[in-house]
Amino acid sequence: IWTDENRFKKWLRVEIAVCEALAELDIVPIEAVDNIKKKASFKLSNIRKAEDKTKHEVVAFLNVLQSKVGDESSRWIHYGLTSSDVIDTAFAIQVKDSASIITGDIESVLGTLKALASKHRYTPIIGRTHGIHAEPTTLGLKFAAWYDEMTRNYARFEFAVEQMMVGKISGAVGNFSSIEPEVEEKVMEKLKLSPEPAASQIVHRDRHAFLIATLGIIGASIEKIATEIRHLQRTEVAELEEPFAATQHGSSAMPHKRNPIRCEQLCGLARLMRSYIIPAVENIVLWHERDISHSSVERIIIPDAMILADYMLATLNEILSGLVVHADRMKENITVTKGHIFSQRLLLRLIRAGVPRQKAHLMIQGKIMSSWRKKEDFKQQVIRDGEIRRYVSLEEIESLFDLDVYIRYVDHIFK
């Protein structure tokens, strides 16, 4: 989609659409249009040779077309147009073609996340805040949260692409001084685009900046997922693991290594994706009706960003599809703190029993510090504590340390 060859094909498609519209309005002879459609062609190498002389890519392109079509008919090519009429309109077509692939990529990721969420809806895992054990949750809820975020990315991307689906056939400063508005209307209808409502010489670049910013957010969401997998693959955690092929090598020096290299790659590429946002935003500001400072930037960042998004989403889907889940290790890690993770439920029970919050907090925190220091089970210390037992029965203590309470509203969240 983003090759020079295809870019010039899209330019030719726009030029022909303009000629057809002009013929429909009886401005250009239909025989000339038929001849243009029959003979107009190019070789990339010939355009490059012509550009060496003209120092202007569009003029070089037009010169090559003229040599193929002949003077009589080719004089109608580019009639009333400026370069950006062709470039920006064709650019929207390339974005549309590219976006259809990326949309499919997001749909694939959504499908994989939905399946994982369903499969692990009730699989318990310790929740972590600040990297420290917090309270239990389920692995399915992690996947559900990623699914929900990716649905927002899907909607954002569709809207950003919709914003890009505009072209212009309105001349040198966008005021139709050399071509009728009816031509633009007909051309956009043929190309399934909308006219830029108030163009300058170009389609305004806030549209392009919004697209790149959206891709940057998608990249950040991918990095968020990849970072979580990386953390959970650490040796001392060992709860999740990205796919590792039988013939794969984790290290040139250490045969035992199984590194999360693909997730690390995605995290690195997300930085690259974000780096495109600043020049995209800076491209919004041009001199008067336009200058050309945006052009060189866009030739790099927009094809790169679209191709990169496709690669990152496809890679993420491969990782998620082959993700190794160590559910037994998750259960083990829930018990690492010897029951400290149930402290909030005990705190709330003491508060309901009439104990002031700060006092209750200090009562529990003291027991936690003691059990941590002595490496004893927290629940047993609570059971033996006379002050706590004044407010909480043995039966209640058992229920407060029940893991199922952290799963009871999973179905509500899924719904």
Side-chain angles (χ1 to χ4, degrees), residues 98-144:
S98 195
S100 67
I101 296 173
I102 295 172
T103 298
D105 292 335
I106 299 174
E107 289 171 348
S108 296
V109 170
L110 284 170
T112 302
L113 285 172
K114 186 174 184 179
L116 284 168
S118 178
K119 182 177 180 180
H120 295 286
R121 179 184 294 218
Y122 306 115
T123 303
I125 186 174
I126 190 64
R128 296 171 173 89
T129 58
H130 305 275
I132 307 301
H133 284 205
E135 290 186 342
T137 182
T138 78
L139 181 61
L141 282 176
K142 277 187 188 286
F143 292 133

Side-chain angles (χ1 to χ4, degrees), residues 185-203:
E185 292 171 8
K186 287 179 175 294
V187 169
M188 296 307 147
E189 186 178 351
K190 292 174 185 293
L191 300 177
K192 295 181 172 56
L193 300 173
S194 299
E196 175 68 276
S200 59
Q201 191 177 88
I202 61 169
V203 166

Side-chain angles (χ1 to χ4, degrees), residues 68-123:
K68 295 289 185 179
V69 174
D71 291 342
E72 182 57 33
S73 297
S74 67
R75 63 195 174 98
W76 297 111
I77 299 175
H78 208 68
Y79 180 83
L81 305 185
T82 190
S83 296
S84 290
D85 287 330
V86 179
I87 294 170
D88 285 4
T89 304
F91 199 79
I93 301 171
Q94 288 178 278
V95 168
K96 184 178 183 179
D97 292 346
S98 195
S100 67
I101 296 173
I102 295 172
T103 298
D105 292 335
I106 299 174
E107 289 171 348
S108 296
V109 170
L110 284 170
T112 302
L113 285 172
K114 186 174 184 179
L116 284 168
S118 178
K119 182 177 180 180
H120 295 286
R121 179 184 294 218
Y122 306 115
T123 303

